[in-house]
Amino acid sequence: MTSRSGNGIRPLYEVYSTQLFSAGHGFPLWDGQPEDDVHEVEIGTVGRVDQGKFWMLFNAMKESDDPCQKHGVPSHFERLSAKLKIQGPWEKIKSPLVSSKTVFNRDIQVSADTSASLAGLCSAGAGLKFMSSQESGAFLFLETPATAHIILSKRRVVTYLREHFDRWMEFANDDCGMILPQEQIYFVHGVVKTSRWACGAFQGSSRNKEVSVNAQVLSLGNLSVSISINSEDAARVDYNYGPFRSHGTHVPSITESIEPREVEAAPKQDQCVFFNYFKAKRRLWLGLKVIEAAAGPHELPPDYRGGASPSDPISVDNTSYDSDDFEEMPPAEAPYDPVDSLLDYILAVGVKNFFPLSVTNMSVFKHSEAEIAIASDTDLYALFYNMEFPSDVETALEELKPTIEVDEDRAGTVAVSHHVFAEQTPPVAGITASPAARKDAPNSRPPSDVQALSPIDATVEARAEGAPTVSVAEPLSNANIAPRAGAQADPADQAESLLAPTRETPPELPDDSAGLARHSSTVSYTERSAFTEEEVRRRREQKLPAALPGRAATEGHIGAVTSFAYSHDSKWLATGSEDTTIVLWNSSDQTIARKWEAHADVVRVLAFSPDNKRLASGGADNVIHIWAVETGEQLATLDGHEGAVQAMAWSSDGKHIASGSGDATVRLWDGVTYAPLSVLEDHEALITYVTFSRDDRWLASCSMDHCCRIWDVAAGTLHRTLEGHKNMVWCAEFDEEARRIVTCSDDASVRIWSAETGEMLVGLYEHRGPVWSAAFAPGGKTVLTASSDGTMTVCDSFMGERRLTFEGHEGMINAACFSPDGKYVASAASDNTVRLWSAVDGALVATFNEHEDKVTFVRLSPDGKTLASASDDGTVRIRALNEWNPDRMGQDDEIKDEG
């Protein structure tokens, strides 16, 4: 293999990773062979990359005594939860060839009946000839389609890394005797594997020269690859392939062919060609204070934990040396990895001169105050989803300026969902769409630096770009027959004759099907699923209902809860999760009534109709489904958004549904026929929240573009733009008379505006961190605010005077609300607790310590009889308030999970 030379030329395995990273599949491995031919690259593996190969330290998702832990495990080792939602396997790369965009005029000769495999490609006498537009290029041959697995939960992984990363560093450098910098430790959260592969890279004087590549699978399963560059100029060429048995390295000449060598006969899917990963990096020092010229050692910035920082100068030696005493060494080059640029962006520090005529400067945080940055390749793919992947990631990030979220433990991550990136869901059986057929699909990736060639088994016409569609299910004529799916098929999979829905007869229900075991805090489940796992997966792929009408769900969520809604009659609580499921709970007895698995991605938002008979769900798969609550029937699918559906609301008269999306649009739909009505396009960034006024005259939408906009619902036009916030606006609420509207923002402020004129009436600046919740009290005289600084306030909504302060949470407050009668305030926080407070004097009434992870939702039912909460641990808690009297509970009373 080529090695790094003293002149700074990168080895070809790094040229390979640089050229193919923009494919969107993850980090390209030059050598995908399992370590020692035994230890595969798996989800949960923690390790390093050296010379294009992944080397394992340990696996965070396996027991400490597992045979794979050949080096041992870090001290105080704790497994990453096995309950994580893992998507896969699915065929992610069907093309037999992936190559960099630096090559063009490619000529692949494949007969129409050739299978989509390297063997089929070669049996047809195919060869690859192309012109190189640059001096570097790379390509990957796959003998069989590459399959993928990936963890869907970003938050769980980030929390785990934050808690354990320091011990990983100690394990690598102290226990294993390595000298690894922070950013060279990888946590694998996704893998792409195949059975046989061949890859190559070239660099040098190949610009505008013809390059030929030939691959051949011989009768005995041996692989032959030849690479040549038709140029008399010097050029570097290298190759690799697998699986193979140990052999010596050999670098071919420019026109030399690679002779076949023995490979393993059994085609096992254990060759990792790409992997998805997280990395972490701690800030070296956080002592941001004014440092004047000639400052003494006592004025240097100390380490934020009280000791000397690794970056602080230790001493100054004034001894004079001649320059000849030193041998100049070439600067060390870090391996190519654009995620390092994202880590540096999160931790970036600038210098500001406050007094132009002096030398007094201050270091300032540029993008976040995070102590530790955590980032992944999927963050980058999601950030640059709608554009060509940049060659200069550092510059592109400064231009894009993505928002950084910092949690209560000062871990900073980029504010983007991985589900924007992970759009490649398993295809419907029997249909393979060409790239041309998929180009207008909302979920399809735009052209990137990597181009893939795929044989066309079936060409499917995609719907017109941007045309909203809605499909409505036929009414049931027989209660024992599952409803016809109303879900709109993926644009590439809309061959009506191949996707004709079928009616299915559900299995007979057991006599005790309506009864589920009950628990005060959680629910136990004893019934079997209505469908097998394979059938559930198939129905999810085709966006069919996965729970039969009348069939009780058999299990709760296995991923973090991401959406939450009470019905207006307080009978039902609906929750959605990152595991793509929706669960309908009976709030009176805390049991599960139904479970749907229709969305192909995270369920972002839920909303009940005013008559409580229908439930709308919006997901990161860009669609909205309408469900019949009593029967479980899927009534319609609203399709039109080109980004994840982030926000949704149903008007109080039931005539309109509003939805907001990551595509920066707000859409209005008919609440009865579900037909599209208006597309409101004035926002410039992701929509975070939508809400109707009580008279349904106005619709408010909040966005990451720092604005809240008020729309005329009847006309479908912009009424007012509320400008003044300096950061993203999280939510808004109209008062009961629809005369005023309150907004809250990441800029730590809350503002109250005139809904008619758009004039700011009151500004509240009570918090030191982002404000994530703001709501009028019943009657509208006061307003409740909750912040990431761990505090809540109640202020006069007309004068702005603070009335109450609620303190006691030991983490960020994620949600807060008034009780329907205005006597109590409920809050949910990252300290894993739910708290109930008196809205009269601010006293703590009760603490509920039942969840095992941060609590993200809390709500008192509209009738005031139940208090519900949901958490990142996947649990939902419903508490019957009539079982205890809040007025009798003392300040120190604490309710713990007894299950």
Side-chain angles (χ1 to χ4, degrees), residues 1-13:
M1 298 293 176
T2 308
S3 61
R4 189 186 303 276
S5 63
N7 60 9
I9 297 177
R10 286 187 176 272
L12 286 173
Y13 55 77

Side-chain angles (χ1 to χ4, degrees), residues 204-260:
S205 302
S206 55
R207 182 189 295 267
N208 298 323
K209 302 296 190 301
E210 184 179 272
V211 181
S212 298
V213 179
N214 290 284
Q216 185 176 4
V217 179
L218 304 181
S219 58
L220 297 179
N222 293 330
L223 184 65
S224 173
V225 181
S226 67
I227 309 170
S228 65
I229 297 179
N230 299 332
S231 170
E232 296 180 357
D233 300 326
R236 298 187 304 131
V237 181
D238 208 351
Y239 72 95
N240 204 4
Y241 60 88
F244 55 89
R245 296 194 177 100
S246 300
H247 60 271
T249 60
H250 172 70
V251 180
S253 64
I254 294 175
T255 59
E256 181 181 357
S257 293
I258 301 169
E259 297 300 327

Side-chain angles (χ1 to χ4, degrees), residues 342 345-346 367-370 402-406 411-415 746:
L342 184 52
Y345 175 87
I346 295 172
H367 306 125
S368 77
E369 297 184 3
T403 300
I404 304 302
E405 295 178 342
V406 181
T413 58
V414 66
D746 259 6

Side-chain angles (χ1 to χ4, degrees), residues 71-286:
H71 302 297
V73 296
S75 61
H76 308 290
F77 176 73
E78 295 179 8
R79 285 182 62 200
L80 177 59
S81 173
K83 290 178 62 177
L84 283 172
K85 177 68 174 180
I86 297 179
Q87 177 176 302
W90 82 98
E91 292 185 356
K92 183 165 185 169
I93 308 176
K94 293 186 176 181
S95 168
L97 171 68
V98 178
S99 65
S100 59
K101 193 180 179 182
T102 57
V103 300
F104 61 96
N105 291 337
R106 299 178 300 177
D107 182 18
I108 297 285
Q109 299 151 356
V110 186
S111 62
D113 58 351
T114 299
S115 62
S117 68
L118 182 57
L121 179 70
C122 300
S123 65
L128 171 65
K129 292 183 179 181
F130 54 80
M131 297 292 291
S132 174
S133 63
Q134 300 295 328
E135 294 187 350
S136 301
F139 52 85
L140 169 68
F141 282 117
L142 300 175
E143 198 275 337
T144 58
T147 59
H149 295 77
I150 193 167
I151 294 177
L152 293 179
S153 176
K154 174 181 177 179
R155 282 174 293 185
R156 290 281 191 91
V157 175
V158 167
T159 299
Y160 185 78
L161 252 72
R162 184 196 68 217
E163 294 174 349
H164 299 279
F165 181 70
D166 290 341
R167 287 195 285 270
W168 296 0
M169 288 294 300
E170 293 174 0
F171 177 72
N173 293 330
D174 296 343
D175 299 352
C176 297
M178 300 178 182
I179 308 177
L180 290 180
Q182 301 179 81
E183 57 270 27
Q184 288 189 22
I185 290 184
Y186 296 76
F187 172 86
V188 178
H189 78 104
V191 291
V192 181
K193 295 184 178 182
T194 188
S195 57
R196 289 193 179 99
W197 54 274
C199 67
F202 59 88
Q203 185 179 53
S205 302
S206 55
R207 182 189 295 267
N208 298 323
K209 302 296 190 301
E210 184 179 272
V211 181
S212 298
V213 179
N214 290 284
Q216 185 176 4
V217 179
L218 304 181
S219 58
L220 297 179
N222 293 330
L223 184 65
S224 173
V225 181
S226 67
I227 309 170
S228 65
I229 297 179
N230 299 332
S231 170
E232 296 180 357
D233 300 326
R236 298 187 304 131
V237 181
D238 208 351
Y239 72 95
N240 204 4
Y241 60 88
F244 55 89
R245 296 194 177 100
S246 300
H247 60 271
T249 60
H250 172 70
V251 180
S253 64
I254 294 175
T255 59
E256 181 181 357
S257 293
I258 301 169
E259 297 300 327
R261 289 188 295 218
E262 185 179 2
V263 299
E264 297 179 5
K268 184 180 179 182
Q269 291 279 104
D270 62 354
Q271 306 288 304
C272 184
V273 289
F274 295 94
F275 73 94
N276 306 110
Y277 59 97
F278 280 85
K279 298 171 74 173
K281 185 177 183 179
R282 281 200 177 275
R283 193 185 295 278
L284 290 181
W285 58 270
L286 290 176

